[in-house]
Amino acid sequence: MSPDDHSAEAPRETAEVVYGVAAAPPMANDGQVSSVESAPAINVAATQGDGLGCHSGKAQMRAAAEASDNSGALKQYAADYPLGPHDQPQSMCPAFGSLRVGLRMRRTATILSGSACCVYGLTFTSHFYGARRSVGYVPFNSETLVTGKLFEDIREAVFRLADPERYDAVVITNLCVPTASGVPLKLLPKEINGVRIIGIDVPGFGVPTHAEAKDVLAGAMLKYARTEVELGPVQAPAAGRSDKPTVTLVGEMFPADPVGIGMMLEPLGLAAGPMVPTREWRELYVALDCAAVAAIHPFYTASFREFEAAGRRIVGSAPVGHDGTAAWLDAIGQACGVKREMIAAAQNRFLPMIKGALAKTPINGRITLSGYEGSELLVARLLIESGAEVPYVGTACPRTRWSDPDREWLEAEGVRVQYRASLEQDLAAMAEFEPDLAIGTTPVVQKAKARAIPALYFTNLISARPLFGVAGAGSLAQVVNAALGNKARFERMKEFFEGVGEGYSAGIWESKPADRPEFRDRYRRQIEKQALARKAAEEPV
């Protein structure tokens, strides 16, 4: 449990039940008395092993989850976040994304249920990135996992945290093992003492990337909020409502970008609405009460489904660069019923300023670009309009209809766009195009620098800058041009360290190690044999 203060612990049942009926018997914290005699006996044999652990493998865990009460969630994830043209890309644990969304929201408590090592890694990374809140944890062992006791522990934790003086919502997230084992979060109460209860499954074998896991939680919250709006009046936002129709912005972006977008919307008679994922619950109501939705990041499929259910139109792309801004203002204006002359006035006001800013800060060089944040196509557009040659863009996110405007524009410029890009594809593109600068994930940057190619980490150095409107037009030039100017320095460093051990001889040695390729060949054959056996086991009979 979280170290947060809790109310006095409610009495607990002594009997344990299997998951199929885990929420059916009355519980002490319902103010009712449960029937111990009606509870099924513990499956002692099941407690002798370690259950379905992380080591079981993706295929086995997916099969177990599909056979459990969680099969519906996995089918929805497969539809919302399709894989292909190959398996899911390499990325951090997807639950990091949904965890970050919850931790950024005010008056929101977060609980994780999963293997201790996973919870440790997720909380460590979240705090490394600035989270200042406790993360609740419901531990389990083989016995509580297979007998249904884990669900009771989760239920009790939720009841203890549901304090309306402190929280608007409690988010409980199943990680891989509880999801595969069928822990039924959907059986939790939807509300306790006025506190909303949001249960989600975010398994690594069902949600491809941490970016899409943000959508899992954002979509679940929007669905809950939309139901509240349909049932009657809801709380007004703390900052009040805009006197103009608003455009909800979907996707995390640099703090100055919503302000800049709001300035571009003003001549249209519109205002920038909340940014989804939101920072507090009441903003969800305002987000739903909009004139149109801007799909700044195009992979929020579950969230867009809720907006469409509320009758809102979704507009793809973003006001990036000259061409992107012109098309976006036109699309937003049409979606909101703005008069053609007002759209033209907004374009005439901002497009010359953007064109001038791009001309003042040119970028000259060949750049390959890849990342897993979802804004890679937008950044590529901005680089190209700044004068750069960008032959390849890779994104770990999937292709959606809301990314089509950016894809079509890039392909018309001769760019190869790779959705669900793997590390191998990003590295192959770097080898093929021999860029002057590689922008990408950590392993791409490492590989580039080892080859004396200047490189920038996309997440920290590129996406953490304004991208839209006039402010975005010149924001990348300084850091990109500085990196492009480092080519000679990298060449000198490579020359200086020439001959220093790498690969098997990397490190400090009293004598140079002897290469033993026969060992590598033996283990390579063993790994290939194991991979073939796993593939054969996964194929339908």
Side-chain angles (χ1 to χ4, degrees):
M1 282 296 300
S2 163
D4 290 341
D5 296 333
H6 301 305
S7 57
E9 183 175 351
R12 298 178 58 178
E13 287 190 81
T14 57
E16 295 167 333
V17 295
V18 297
Y19 284 127
V21 293
M27 289 190 155
N29 53 17
D30 285 328
Q32 301 170 331
V33 179
S34 62
S35 173
V36 174
E37 291 75 17
S38 65
I42 296 174
N43 181 357
V44 178
T47 68
Q48 303 306 307
D50 61 354
L52 193 70
C54 301
H55 58 277
S56 300
K58 177 179 175 180
Q60 186 174 348
M61 296 188 79
R62 180 185 291 277
E66 289 174 347
S68 74
D69 290 337
N70 290 329
S71 59
L74 288 183
K75 289 177 182 176
Q76 188 63 65
Y77 292 162
D80 288 347
Y81 317 119
L83 298 176
H86 52 77
D87 204 352
Q88 78 183 78
Q90 301 94 330
S91 177
M92 67 182 74
C93 172
F96 172 67
S98 56
L99 178 61
R100 288 275 283 165
V101 167
L103 290 175
R104 286 173 172 172
M105 289 188 68
R106 302 181 189 92
R107 291 179 53 82
T108 299
T110 299
I111 304 174
L112 294 177
S113 175
S115 299
C117 54
C118 300
V119 173
Y120 169 78
L122 287 167
T123 53
F124 176 88
T125 308
S126 294
H127 291 305
F128 177 81
Y129 277 93
R132 297 183 179 180
R133 299 188 189 166
S134 299
V135 178
Y137 171 43
V138 181
F140 64 85
N141 55 33
S142 298
E143 181 177 336
T144 62
L145 183 66
V146 302
T147 61
K149 182 64 167 56
L150 174 56
F151 177 80
E152 294 186 24
D153 291 342
I154 291 172
R155 196 173 190 273
E156 180 184 352
V158 169
F159 268 89
R160 291 175 62 188
L161 271 178
D163 179 1
E165 295 296 320
R166 303 177 62 196
Y167 299 121
D168 294 327
V170 174
V171 177
I172 168 69
T173 303
N174 269 347
L175 304 180
C176 288
V177 174
T179 296
S181 300
V183 179
L185 297 182
K186 62 186 176 183
L187 298 182
L188 290 171
K190 300 301 180 187
E191 174 268 329
I192 301 171
N193 299 326
V195 179
R196 304 158 185 87
I197 308 303
I198 311 291
I200 57 173
D201 291 274
V202 189
F205 56 83
V207 181
T209 67
H210 80 284
E212 289 155 297
K214 297 175 185 177
D215 178 48
V216 172
L217 181 52
M221 288 185 164
L222 283 166
K223 184 175 184 178
Y224 198 120
R226 183 171 62 81
T227 302
E228 290 181 310
V229 172
E230 291 172 351
L231 292 176
V234 294
Q235 287 179 303
R241 296 182 60 184
S242 172
D243 58 354
K244 299 178 181 178
T246 59
V247 176
T248 295
L249 310 175
V250 178
E252 294 183 307
M253 60 192 83
F254 189 75
D257 274 331
V259 177
I261 291 175
M263 293 174 61
M264 287 185 282
L265 291 173
E266 187 177 0
L268 302 178
L270 305 172
M275 194 168 63
V276 175
T278 61
R279 293 303 180 99
E280 62 180 48
W281 187 269
R282 283 186 283 182
E283 289 180 351
L284 292 165
Y285 307 137
V286 187
L288 289 162
D289 184 27
C290 63
V293 177
I296 304 297
H297 287 186
F299 57 83
Y300 279 80
T301 306
S303 298
F304 296 146
R305 181 165 55 246
E306 298 306 319
F307 284 115
E308 289 181 327
R312 305 299 182 249
R313 290 187 61 179
I314 317 291
V315 176
S317 192
V320 59
H322 177 277
D323 293 358
T325 301
W328 188 81
L329 287 173
D330 186 63
I332 286 289
Q334 290 187 44
C336 297
V338 177
K339 295 179 180 178
R340 172 59 58 185
E341 55 265 28
M342 294 178 68
I343 297 174
Q347 291 172 328
N348 292 335
R349 177 177 172 183
F350 292 104
L351 294 182
M353 291 191 285
I354 292 172
K355 200 166 197 177
L358 291 169
K360 273 199 248 180
T361 54
I363 297 173
N364 298 309
R366 180 183 299 161
I367 301 173
T368 56
L369 174 67
S370 56
Y372 44 57
E373 300 296 335
S375 57
E376 291 77 25
L377 275 63
L378 299 175
V379 172
R381 291 189 66 157
L382 190 54
L383 290 172
I384 290 171
E385 286 206 35
S386 298
E389 177 190 353
V390 182
Y392 171 84
V393 177
T395 177
C397 295
R399 175 177 172 177
T400 69
R401 55 192 168 105
W402 299 288
S403 70
D404 282 346
D406 301 317
R407 176 186 56 79
E408 291 167 0
W409 189 92
L410 289 169
E411 289 179 345
E413 295 290 325
V415 181
R416 183 194 305 167
V417 179
Q418 178 63 61
Y419 293 99
R420 289 284 187 233
S422 66
L423 173 61
E424 291 78 10
Q425 288 172 316
D426 293 340
L427 295 178
M430 184 173 63
E432 176 183 352
F433 295 111
E434 298 181 346
D436 303 307
L437 173 68
I439 299 174
T441 57
T442 303
V444 171
V445 169
Q446 183 272 333
K447 190 71 172 180
K449 290 182 176 179
R451 296 182 56 179
I453 298 173
L456 294 172
Y457 179 37
F458 183 92
T459 299
N460 285 8
L461 297 174
I462 301 299
S463 66
R465 295 174 182 274
L467 298 177
F468 308 127
V470 181
S475 66
L476 298 182
Q478 183 177 3
V479 65
V480 169
N481 284 331
L484 286 168
N486 281 334
K487 178 67 175 176
R489 193 175 108 192
F490 274 96
E491 293 287 359
R492 291 196 303 272
M493 289 174 64
K494 184 176 182 181
E495 181 181 357
F496 179 81
F497 287 105
E498 192 71 35
V500 175
E502 55 185 357
Y504 74 90
S505 62
I508 301 174
W509 308 91
E510 291 184 4
S511 59
K512 186 175 181 180
D515 189 14
R516 301 299 296 268
E518 66 273 16
F519 291 164
R520 292 197 298 272
D521 291 341
R522 181 194 306 169
Y523 292 122
R524 177 181 53 78
R525 289 193 296 270
Q526 290 180 4
I527 292 171
E528 290 174 351
K529 185 177 180 181
Q530 292 170 358
L532 289 172
R534 284 196 300 270
K535 185 176 180 180
E538 293 174 8
E539 292 177 351
V541 178

